[in-house]
DNA sequence: TTCCCCTGTTGATAATTGTCAAGACTTCAA
DNA sequence: TTGAAGTCTTGACAATTATCAACAGGGGAA
């Protein structure tokens, strides 16, 4: 594995506190690979052989049932995915698919579990990461169960606005079709939802979004830190 | 704290592998309390002062937004709840309310975090527990996003059937109004959903459920281990 | 350029789900 | 027993969301 990737991974909070020798042990069996867009990296139901780290590009986590498919999360650099499956040595619950050309590090799951058993710092870092993931999914669950699709879209836009710096005008980082899937609605419905938000101070031009009336828009969306704050 | 409660907690996988002295340290600040039904034990948004352990009775985890409320999980003995908030020292994402008269142990969160930092076995047990919780929520998310309310109910009934031993006839352990909330639908809709499942081999008499045509019912429900299996 | 493919949009319609109001049926206590 | 409060069910209706079909517009490739 090239040194640069090594360092990027080492700097992740998940790996930054562990002993040097244990990190080396992890990296010994790991390798980095470049994947083109639209490649299925893992398939739900398969045994979890590797912990994945997205170094560049982006990866969509999706699940399918009975002919339907939904997008559950998008992983962007630099972060890991399917940590829980790796730790539990259980099958993947989601499939992972590159959205664009991506550089991915693969760390053998059995090495992760072995180091996890002997390195307390690593174990604690894993806990922090998992607790974070758990709380994120709980928030997503609340978003889905407590809000209509219009409200979900409005709050998503406010979150995206904050992520991109807070300006009134910003750009979506999703293809609309995938955004619809993330928000739990159809593409057609998303298109109508964008229109439905215009009376509350929203302008849409392709992927460029402008909130023309922030106060009015927030009055409709009613963002809530216990659902919409990414950090806690 | 009475010895019996002490032992019940010690036997939880979360606490069973930790050092005696650390467990004692945890228990020193802990106490057990009896609560009547319908008492709000914690409120979402509050700081997480205690890790809770349900020793008897049952507790509903709910969340509210904009005048709506939804039930996210039910905790039954013997298990803990709001572990993630305790570990992260972050606000509760859900409120907890007793469903019936319940005996609850409260362990100060700061003690949990302190022991977590010095006891590797405990840290690893926490990881296992959190990974389990995380995967459960992911499954719930898939259930919600990929299935209609009729399908969710059908698969819930199959899960409940398995939990209660697998007989064709079994009893619901939820009040129907709460079941509706858990399944993400209204009580009225649940009532109609029960009727809608009758053509597929279901009989309902109050809280007693009978699956009269298991094959046909499963053909409709299409249960999937990656959504419906509780263990993995 | 022209064609093709893809994304996104729109309209018409259907299916699903929620809301409101009313009534049936328990349960429990006076 | 009676009444009161609760859950559950039902019907009528409205809102939300999905489905299907069609079409506009924007790249790319030949």
């Amino acid at each position: 594995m090239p040194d640069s990737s090594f360092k990027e991974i080492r700097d992740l909070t998940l790996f930054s506190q562990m002993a040097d020798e244990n990190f080396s042990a992890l990296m010994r069996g790991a390798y980095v690979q470049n994947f083109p867009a639209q490649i299925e990296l893992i398939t739900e139901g398969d045994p979890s052989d590797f912990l994945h780290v997205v170094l560049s590009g982006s990866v969509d986590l999706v699940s399918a049932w009975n002919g339907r498919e939904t997008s559950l999360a998008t992983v962007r650099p630099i972060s890991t995915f399917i940590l829980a499956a790796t730790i539990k040595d259980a099958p993947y619950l989601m499939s992972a698919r590159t959205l664009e050309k991506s550089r991915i590090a693969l760390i053998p799951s059995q090495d992760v579990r072995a180091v996890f058993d002997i390195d307390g710092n690593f174990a604690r870092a894993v806990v922090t990461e998992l607790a974070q993931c758990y709380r994120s999914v709980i928030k997503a669950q609340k978003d889905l169960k407590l809000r209509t699709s219009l409200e979900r879209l409005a709050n998503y836009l406010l979150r995206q606005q904050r992520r991109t710096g807070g300006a009134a005008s910003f750009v979506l980082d999703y293809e609309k079709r995938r955004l619809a899937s993330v928000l739990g609605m159809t593409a057609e419905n998303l298109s109508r939802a964008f229109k439905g938000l215009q009376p509350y101070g929203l302008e849409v031009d392709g992927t460029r979004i402008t909130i023309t009336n922030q106060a009015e828009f927030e009055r409709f969306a009613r963002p809530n830190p216990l659902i919409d704050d990414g950090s806690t």
Side-chain angles (χ1 to χ4, degrees), chain A:
Chain A
M1 176 178 299
D3 280 354
S4 60
S5 307
F6 181 97
K7 177 151 188 350
E8 282 173 313
I9 297 171
R10 183 54 152 151
D11 285 345
L12 290 173
T13 52
L14 186 58
F15 300 108
S16 63
Q17 299 302 314
M18 66 194 301
D20 277 334
E21 55 178 296
N22 292 328
F23 183 69
S24 299
L26 270 189
M27 291 303 107
R28 238 186 315 274
Y31 60 98
V32 173
Q33 204 168 337
N34 283 297
F35 295 94
Q38 308 299 338
I39 288 290
E40 186 153 306
L41 298 171
I42 64 178
T43 304
E44 57 177 323
D46 283 359
S48 53
D49 297 327
F50 296 96
L51 175 65
H52 293 235
V53 185
V54 183
L55 298 171
S56 71
S58 56
V59 173
D60 202 20
L61 300 181
V62 302
S63 182
W65 178 81
N66 203 18
R68 295 162 225 167
E69 183 184 284
T70 191
S71 174
L72 291 155
T74 299
V75 189
R76 298 182 187 283
I78 314 278
S79 52
T80 66
F81 59 93
I82 47 133
L83 179 58
T86 292
I87 292 296
K88 289 215 71 176
D89 197 8
Y92 298 131
L93 292 178
M94 305 176 270
S95 300
R97 183 194 302 142
T98 54
L99 289 171
E100 52 193 311
K101 191 168 175 307
S102 300
R103 217 165 97 255
I104 313 278
L106 299 126
I107 307 173
S109 291
Q110 60 188 42
D111 295 351
V112 174
R113 287 191 291 272
V115 170
F116 168 78
D117 280 337
I118 58 170
D119 192 310
N121 283 334
F122 180 56
R124 278 182 281 276
V126 169
V127 164
T128 306
E129 180 102 349
L130 277 179
Q132 172 72 41
C133 291
Y134 172 75
R135 288 171 63 90
S136 293
V137 192
I138 289 288
K139 287 171 195 162
Q141 188 83 343
K142 288 166 65 174
D143 189 46
L144 206 55
K145 290 184 80 174
L146 290 168
R147 290 171 169 164
T148 67
S149 61
L150 212 60
E151 291 163 343
R152 288 200 299 278
L153 174 58
N155 283 291
Y156 170 81
L157 293 176
L158 287 173
R159 292 198 299 270
Q160 178 66 6
Q161 183 188 36
R162 281 217 296 177
R163 266 198 299 270
T164 56
S169 185
F170 56 94
V171 170
L172 294 176
D173 58 353
Y174 278 126
E175 196 182 19
K176 283 189 184 170
R177 156 184 307 251
R178 188 153 353 90
L179 175 57
S181 182
V182 169
L183 293 175
M185 58 206 285
T186 60
E188 295 94 326
N189 218 347
L190 175 63
S191 200
R192 292 178 183 116
F194 272 120
K195 292 213 155 177
L197 288 177
Q198 284 173 13
Y200 302 103
L202 184 76
E203 271 177 20
V204 183
D205 177 22
T207 58
R208 172 151 296 277
I209 305 294
T210 307
I211 296 178
T212 56
N213 187 338
Q214 188 78 25
E216 176 69 12
F217 194 77
E218 294 195 1
R219 200 171 309 124
F220 172 79
R222 295 180 174 271
N224 181 313
L226 299 178
I227 304 179
D228 301 297
D229 270 16
S231 51
T232 64

